Each structure stands twice: as structure tokens, then as C-alpha cells.
Amino acid sequence: MTSSFSSAIPSSSSSRISIPQTFLQQHNNKIFHSPFSFFHRSHFLRKGLTLSRGRELPSTRICASLTEDISTKASVEEKQLPKGETWSIHKFGGTCVGSSQRIKNVADVINNDDSERKLVVVSAMSKVTDMMYDLIYKAQSRDDGYISALDAVLEKHSLTASDLLDGDSLASFLSLLRQDINNLKAMLRAIYIAGHATESFTEFVVGHGELWSAQMLSLVIRKNGTDSKWMDTREVLIVNPSGSNQVDPDYLESEKRLKKWYSSNPSKVIIATGFIASTPQNIPTTLKRDGSDFSAAIMGALFRARQVTIWTDVDGVYSADPRKVSEAVVLKTLSYQEAWEMSYFGANVLHPSTIIPVMQYGIPIVIRNIFNLSAPGTKICDSSINDDEDKKNLKNHVKGFATIDNLALVNVEGTGMAGVPGTASAIFSAVKDVGANVIMISQASSEHSVCFAVPEKEVKAVAEALQSRFREALDAGRLSQVAIIPNCSILASVGQKMASTPGVSATLFNALAKANINVRAIAQGCSEYNITVVVKREDCIKALRAVHSRFYLSRTTIAMGIIGPGLIGSTLLDQLRDQASILKEEFNIDLRVMGILSSNSMLLSDVGIDLDRWRELREKNGEVGNLEKFAQHVHGNHFIPNTVLVDCTADSVIAGYYYDWLRRGIHVVTPNKKANSGPLDQYLKLRALQRQSYTHYFYEATVGAGLPIISTLRGLLETGDRILKIEGIFSGTLSYIFNNFKDGRAFSGVVAEAKEAGYTEPDPRDDLSGTDVARKVIILARESGLKLELSDIPVESLVPHQLRACGSAQEFMQQLPKFDPEFGKKHQEAENAGEVLRYVGVVDVTNKKGVVELRRYKKDHPFAQLSGSDNIIAFTTRRYNQQPLIVRGPGAGAQVTAGGIFSDILRLASYLGAPS
């Protein structure tokens, strides 16, 4: 057999090869399927490999320096294996040993561990396992590039070793490395010839990286003055394949072999290879996915170690994926079950199989960052240890959130399913037959339907299998349909006894609802460790951010877009700047301005604009304004689930976007009266949408600036009162004008004074026309339940008819004195009657009408008592009939208007979960 094999595998320098018929027959008969049984029978691993050119490789270390079979080792004086808390287990991933400097750092960490005994599990150097898989792929694809790729592997390890070692240790390692490379070259040549690599062949080849990194680290530690031994774990760890790309450790046999190994290699520092193991037949294999972590956990169990530390490149386990949720925090502790649940749902924790070995003995696992030694990491331990800490903080009932994307829901439903035994069994038997993985199952207690999630790539096969299995039931109508809902994602909330804590589930679904997220399916295990929901794929990140922000961070974070940084908008930005830190520290409200849009430019930020420098930043980094891009950026391109657009303009075009924004889940706050006083059908459509969703539309500042007019009216209506009449002075400008139109002053002079003081619009006719008051009246009328159009409100304009066509405000002001006698006459008539002139708006709810006009009031009337630019509004209701409810205060000015908007923003925060 040896001569047959040697003629079948020539050296890599042979240009052509003649393959004996016996070898091809063996391959076709699948003898080659188990290469290591073939190699063992030919003593390949122990006697060396004779190549076609007659060169015999040294028999001392063949195929990655596999030692002689344990059964053939010379007996030595047996040393008993110590177990228990004197041992600590460390595992270093590929990133941790990715370069010579990082290997030195690992050696320092090991030397600084004051444990009496240490076992260190190492992965292959970063990218090496991928390089080894690439060798297999190239060889079986008959790509000659496998030779140069193997040379790259040799060069990578040679350079690393040369940087770490010197003298005899370097020479010894390089000699064994070259020997391994030569053996691999021969094996890859065999794969090249066959055009196929079995799983056993592949696993043997890819396991070399761990052997090399373990030997180098062991030599570095010895160079630093600490005795250490390196362990080829294929001599110790025995596993049995269990299907589904998994293996089960044989702990009894592994313990026997560990004792045997330790009796020959006693040491207080052992460097062990991760990822690789052997079958009971001594055939090299691997521990599959996350194998090095699994190796460390198994070793922890075999040694009954004090602790297993998994060193990686992150600070620990996060409450959510930090790439999706920027506010994610490192968790101090997790129970084994919590870690298990989070890892199942895709969190970057540990593979569930890693946790199993240590759970039995209560050995804690600590996840730490090799690049940030100051970070304490995350401890995964028994739930009873976590209970004491969790009781101190109720939010710890929800430890974290994880997601799985690219799923589809399969819904099997029909009245014929109810009470019929075996239906669910038949469904999942069909799913099993096509090899699909069921991620989640949800079934209503009525048994009318069964819903489950599978990977989207498998859903077509599942649907076809179910259609075939239940064809008769579908045709007979016992089953109504097998429905597929594509483009889904799973969001899992994980926590110790989370489901048994009152209010947790309600808070979860409330957070999703307020973020406008529709839940497709729900599953909750009786183990009480997770609540799983299925959402649309496009909503997944938003849902994750919503529940994380609401649940874990226990603070309300809102992304804001400010439209119109004019006088009112800029004042609002200044108020936000001044209050931001107080709101965050004292009320847990985090308001972040993500964009500022003016008529011709916009400033955008992914993390929040520095409000101390927004004017400077807009000049420096501003771009051409685009309303749609602006809304999309504020709503979609950040890590915040709640979005509000604040419209500080008086633009009817922008008001026309409110409906679309609300429909998309964007909250709206505005002093802009155009939407609520525009066409009635559009107003009703807007309010209907607001009532049907959890998206909020606040507009307190549309009437009375910062005065609580809208909220007072709503409070009356919601508590069952009946509005009879609303009458008020709604214009701060006209209030100022008529409060100062006295003592013989000319009307035009008072108007000029108001304009100079900034109370009027640039063109005073906009105030004197009464249109602004009419809009406020129609808003209050509609809030009171009247379905009126703006054109239904009679308005008495104070602009003389002859001046309405003036070409400019300047011309109007020049011509206005001509009409002072007319206004003076009205004033004098009122004065003679002991009355004053006031420009008011009236909503007559009883008679379903409204009016805006100049009226006279007795000097003892509340309306006559005003000063400055104050507004006053009187609510006559069934409760407040004899004595109206009066709201009075400043009704104009940038500060109070911005304050009213700010108040609406804080009310939104309260609705979204901020403390009251």
C-alpha cells in the first residue's frame, strides 16, 4: 500500500503524474472518503510519507507534528492531575494573536495572571483559518495557486516567529514549520489530483493554524522565564459528531486522556490549541463554529477551573449591537441562560454550546478586551449570583436585545386544524424533511393557525413541502391557506425572569407602538427569559432602537429637525441649547437636533448638532436645502427611534407635508397655522390620522404663542364640559395697538410705534387685515367640533379699503395718517360711552359660527384691563357659565412663541415615556 500511495502522490515539482488504477478504484469506492482511516492503516501518521522521488519526510513530526498515538507512548512516572480553583482558563481569539506584537501582549497578560495554574487556549492567527480553507478550495478546484497560497502561510508564520524568537527555539520552530508545510503540500497535491476534499481532509488541514500559534506562544512564554508546555488537543479532546455541523464532547474519555497527557507533561502553564480535537477513532476533527471558545469551556470543565476568560476585541457583551444602537452599553453580568438566549438570537456573545460545559460546575465565563485591559468585561455566571444585583435595579430584568434578519413567516391556518391531533406534527415533519431551520413558533390557543419563522432562503422549499403534504386538506377546505410573509426580522428581548415582572411586556409593546412599529407575530417561552416579536425587515433597526432607548437606557431620546431658523426658530435653538444638559441630567430627556433647514440651505448631523456653534457650522458645512432629504436624514439615518420635525415657518407648502410625515411615524410640532386653518377636508384627514396612530401632532403655539389655549380647550372637552363660546384678543400686535390707542394719540402713530418695536409683521397690513386672527378662530372652532372653512368667518379688516392695493409697506405707512380721523372718531365714541376698543375673535359654538371684528367693552371688562401685547381668551362653558374661564398673558414675541414650541416638545417627550 505504501508504494501504491507513493506513486500516486508525487512531489509538487513533478509536471505530470500517472495515477495507478488501484488508487482510482479506491477513490471511486469511497475508501478515500475517510482519509485518516486509510492513513492510519498505512502508518502514515507514524512512519512517514515516501514521495515519488524517493525522499522520505522525517517521521518524528508528520502532518502538523502529530505525536505518536497515545497507546504507543512509553510509560512514564505518572503525575496526578490537580483540579479545582487553582486553575484559570484563558482563551485568546485570532485577533488577539494576529501579529507578533499581539502575541507578546498575550504573553504579558498570562504572566500577569496571579493564578497558581493556567491553561491558555489559542486560535490560529487572524485570517489564517480563512487562508487554510482557501488552500482546500484552490486545490480541489485544480487551481495551481494553492502552492503560492501555501507559501504565503509559511511566510506569515516565519516572519512572526522571527520577530518573537531567536536561537535554538527559533531554529526548532522553523524546522517543524517547514516540515508541516511540506506535508501539507503533498496532501494538497492529492486533493488537487482527486478534485475533491472530504470533510475529514478539510478539517485536518485547517487545524494547522492553531498548532503553530500555540507553539509560538509557548516558546515566547518560556523565553520570558516561565516554564510552559504546549498541548495538541487532538491528543486529549475526544468528540462525537452529532449532526447539524455540531459535535458532542466525550468527557469521560477526554478526562482519561488529559490525565495521561498531564502525567507526561506536568506544568503550571499549558498552552493548548483551540478549535481542533479527535474522534474516538483518533481521526483529527474540529469543534466547528466558535470552536476555540468551546475548547476553553471544555477545558474549564475538565480542570474544574475557577474561571474561564474569553479574550476578544470588544469590552464585553453589549445590551444591543453597538453598530445599530450607539447608546448600547456593556453589561456587567449575565446569567448562563441569558447569554444562551442572546447568542441564539444572533448577539455577539458566545455560541450556546460554549456555555454548556461550564454550567454543570458553575464556572463563570468572563468576556474581556485584550486591547482595553482597564475594562472589567462581562461576567456570565449562575443566575443566583445575578439575582442580588438585579433586585437592586429593575431595569436589569431586561438585559439586552438581539435581532435576526432575512426571515420569512409561514402561516398555516384553517378551521379544520382546531382540535385535530397531529396537525402540528405533520407541519414540522414536512419542514424537517426539507432541512429547514425553524427559528420561532407562534400558535394561538384557538388552534386555528400555526405561524413559524424560517430563513428566507429556505421558505420556498418549506412552502412547496407544506402545499404537497396538505394538498388534500387544502382542496377540501379544512385548511384555508399556507401563507408566506417575506421580508421579516426577529427582535428578541432577553432578561432574567423578565416575563414574570409586571409591566415589562406592556412597556415593550408600548415602546414599539409609540415608534409606529407593527408586530407580525409574538412568541414567549415559559422559561421567562425572552419575549420574541416579528417585525418588518425595514422596521427592525428602528424597533431595536425604540425598545433599547425606552427599556434599557430609561431615558427618552428624540431626534429633532428644525425647519425655519428665523427669529422664532433661532430663539428655540438657543433655548434648547440652554436647557439640554438640565433635561438630560434631571429628567432623562435627550433632545438631539439632527438637522436645521432654511429656505435655501440645510445643516445635517449624524450624532447631533453642536447648538453653541450651529450658525457657524451652517456657514461652514451647510448644503443646498432639500426638504425630502432633510426629513429622511432626521428620521432614518441615525440611532434614535423617535423623530420630531419642528416647523417654525408660516409656509403652507411645508404644512402640506404634515400628513405624510405623520404617516411615516414622524411627530410634528409647529406654530404654523396653515395646516389647521386650511381646507377642512385636509384638516379632518390630518386629525383622523393622528387619532389612529401613536404619532403625535402638537400645535399649542398656533393660538396664543406660549399660552395654554389649545391644551385648556382640550382639557375642558376631554373632561366632559360643553363649550358655549370662546371670545378673545388673539393678536399680540393688535392688543398692543389698541392698548396704546388712547390719550389723543393718532392711530397711524401707534401702528408705526408697534412696527418699530417689532410687534408687527414687516408689512403691518398682514396684522391689520385680521386674517391671522381669523385663522386662530377657525382653529379653535374646529377644536370645539365645528366644521367650518376659513371663508365662513366674517372678518372686519382694519386696513382702509383705499390702501389695500398699496404697492409696499412703506407706501401704506405713508398713506395711513390720512385715515386717522376715521379711527379717532371710533375711539372717541367708545370713550364717550365709557368703553374701549378691542379687536377680538369669537367662536359661537352654540350657533355654530365665528366672527372677527372690532368691538367695544366696558372699562371694567377683563378685556379692557390688558397692557402691552398681552392676549386674553375667555371660555364660556356649561361649567364656567356665569364666570368665564380666562387665560391671559403675553401672546406675541419670539421668546414666548419659542417657549410654547419647547413646551410641546417636552409634552411629546412625556408621551414617549419621559418622567412627568
Side-chain angles (χ1 to χ4, degrees), residues 547-583:
V547 296
H548 188 273
S549 177
R550 175 67 185 90
F551 236 130
Y552 198 85
L553 301 181
S554 69
R555 75 172 186 230
T556 303
T557 305
I558 303 176
M560 301 174 59
I562 308 297
I563 303 172
L567 180 60
I568 293 173
S570 61
T571 303
L572 174 63
L573 286 167
D574 291 341
Q575 291 179 357
L576 288 168
R577 175 200 63 203
D578 295 340
Q579 288 295 111
S581 60
I582 296 174
L583 289 172

Side-chain angles (χ1 to χ4, degrees), residues 78-131:
E78 186 169 332
K79 291 189 178 292
Q80 187 174 1
L81 174 66
K83 292 185 179 180
E85 294 200 353
T86 59
W87 286 98
S88 66
I89 310 296
H90 295 267
K91 179 265 174 176
F92 294 93
T95 306
C96 300
V97 293
S99 67
S100 58
Q101 183 57 52
R102 291 181 179 179
I103 292 175
K104 291 176 184 177
N105 294 342
V106 167
D108 291 339
V109 171
I110 297 168
N111 288 331
N112 291 332
D113 179 6
D114 57 5
S115 300
E116 183 179 346
R117 296 180 174 90
K118 292 163 276 194
L119 182 135
V120 180
V121 176
V122 292
S123 300
M125 294 180 68
S126 179
K127 308 298 183 183
V128 167
T129 300
D130 290 340
M131 295 170 75

Side-chain angles (χ1 to χ4, degrees), residues 624-636:
V624 176
N626 182 305
L627 185 57
E628 182 56 38
K629 180 180 178 181
F630 178 83
Q632 176 59 36
H633 172 84
V634 176
H635 184 49

Side-chain angles (χ1 to χ4, degrees), residues 277-476:
S278 291
T279 68
Q281 296 76 33
N282 295 322
I283 298 174
T285 186
T286 68
L287 300 183
K288 317 304 178 188
R289 178 187 171 190
D290 294 317
S292 293
D293 288 352
F294 198 12
S295 299
I298 296 170
M299 285 298 183
L302 292 175
F303 281 93
R304 311 293 193 270
R306 174 180 58 84
Q307 178 175 290
V308 175
T309 303
I310 307 293
W311 293 90
T312 180
D313 56 358
V314 293
D315 286 345
V317 181
Y318 282 84
S319 54
D321 187 341
R323 294 168 298 181
K324 299 176 181 177
V325 181
S326 62
E327 292 87 359
V329 297
V330 176
L331 302 173
K332 292 182 179 179
T333 61
L334 281 174
S335 70
Y336 295 124
Q337 292 82 359
E338 287 168 337
W340 194 326
E341 294 280 357
M342 289 188 70
S343 61
Y344 175 79
F345 286 103
N348 187 21
V349 187
L350 294 169
H351 192 271
S353 61
T354 304
I355 301 167
I356 297 173
V358 296
M359 282 181 65
Q360 181 179 356
Y361 301 103
I363 301 169
I365 301 175
V366 179
I367 312 294
R368 292 196 61 189
N369 190 347
I370 186 68
F371 306 115
N372 183 15
L373 298 179
S374 62
T378 300
K379 178 184 254 187
I380 300 171
C381 53
D382 187 75
S383 58
S384 61
I385 299 174
N386 286 329
D387 279 345
D388 292 337
E389 180 178 334
D390 290 348
K391 287 175 184 176
K392 299 175 186 176
N393 194 341
L394 289 178
K395 78 177 183 181
N396 285 332
H397 286 295
V398 180
K399 282 295 183 68
F401 305 90
T403 58
I404 304 177
D405 294 323
N406 302 318
L407 299 177
L409 277 181
V410 181
N411 187 43
V412 182
E413 65 179 63
T415 54
M417 293 175 59
V420 179
T423 302
S425 174
I427 291 171
F428 294 110
S429 176
V431 175
K432 177 179 179 293
D433 289 344
V434 297
N437 181 29
V438 176
I439 308 295
M440 186 205 81
I441 303 171
S442 179
Q443 180 176 357
S445 59
S446 66
E447 301 180 355
H448 176 72
S449 67
V450 175
C451 175
F452 57 94
V454 297
E456 204 156 37
K457 63 184 179 182
E458 299 174 357
V459 71
K460 182 178 179 181
V462 169
E464 291 173 353
L466 291 173
Q467 294 280 358
S468 175
R469 179 69 63 90
F470 294 101
R471 174 52 53 200
E472 182 179 337
L474 287 165
D475 292 342

Side-chain angles (χ1 to χ4, degrees), residues 153-167:
V153 173
L154 171 62
E155 181 181 19
K156 181 180 181 73
H157 289 85
S158 296
L159 292 174
T160 303
S162 299
D163 198 26
L164 292 170
L165 308 171
D166 53 31

